[in-house]
Amino acid sequence: KDAGDRSHVCKDRLWLGLTAGDPLTDSTRMQYRNTQASLSVLLTGGTGYIGSRWLANADPCVQSVVLLVRTPSAAASLPVPKWVAVEVRKNESHDTDLADVLHHADVVVHLAGSTPASHPDSDLLYDTINRKWTESLARACLLGDIPILFASTGNLYAGRGGRALAEDTADINPEQHPYTKSKYAAEQVLRALGAQGLRFSILRFGSVFGMAPVLNPHVALNAFVRRAVTERHLEVWRTMAEQRRPYTAVLDCAEAV
C-alpha cells in the first residue's frame, strides 16, 4: 500500500477514512464491513500456525469460513472475529469428495501441509499431504471455478549464496529435501491445471516466526526466544556463524493471505 493511500479495497469495494497503517479494531472492522462484498472461504490448515493467525485477524469482508481439518476438536478454542461464521468439517481422507464443502466457497485458502518440523523425515506424508491433497483440492476448484491460494515454501531458494531473488526467479533448488520437492510438485500441479483454467496464487513463505493462537514451538527462532526466556541458556553452533536464513513474521504471512 502506498503510504498516502487513504482507502482499503475489499473485493472491489472501498471503505474510506483509514490511513495506511491504522489499526483495524473490531468496531472499525464492523463499521466498514460491506455485506455485499462478503466472502465465504474454505480454509485448510486453520488449526495450524499461519491458519490460526489468519483466522484471528480475518478481514471484515470474510463473512463465513469452513474449516476443513483432520481433528475437529482442535478448532474448538480458536479465536474467531465476531463477524465471521465458522463451520468445522472433518477431512476424512485425501480422496474425499470435496463438492459439498466447496459448494458455497468463493475462494480456497490452502495452508495445510506436512513440514519437517511437524513430520521429520516422512517422505510419504510430504507427498500425500503436500502434493496429492493439493491436487485433489485444485481439481475440485477447477470444476467449481473457484480460485485457490496455496502456501508453498521459500526453501526452494536455498543454496543460492545470499543473492537477491525476484518473484519470477527460475533459479530454485526443489531437489534438496523431500519436503521442498513435494511443495514444488504441488506448484507444478497448479500450473498445469492453470493451463486448463484454474485460478490460483502461490505464496512462498520464508521460515515463519512469531506469536499465533496455535504456536509452532519447533521453529528455530521461536525455540531460541523460548530458551532465552525460560532457561536463559543459548546454544549457538559454530557452523551456523556464516549462514543466512530468511524469516517471515507469522502476522505478515496472515496479512499476505
Side-chain angles (χ1 to χ4, degrees), residues 39-42 66 100-108 144-147:
L39 286 174
S40 295
V41 178
L42 174 66
V66 173
D100 183 42
V101 292
L102 284 172
H103 183 63
H104 296 294
D106 296 309
V107 63
V108 171
D145 191 26
I146 301 169

Side-chain angles (χ1 to χ4, degrees), residues 223-235:
F224 194 82
V225 172
R226 177 188 55 77
R227 183 171 292 182
V229 172
T230 60
E231 302 177 18
R232 307 201 175 190
H233 171 75
L234 299 174
E235 294 179 359

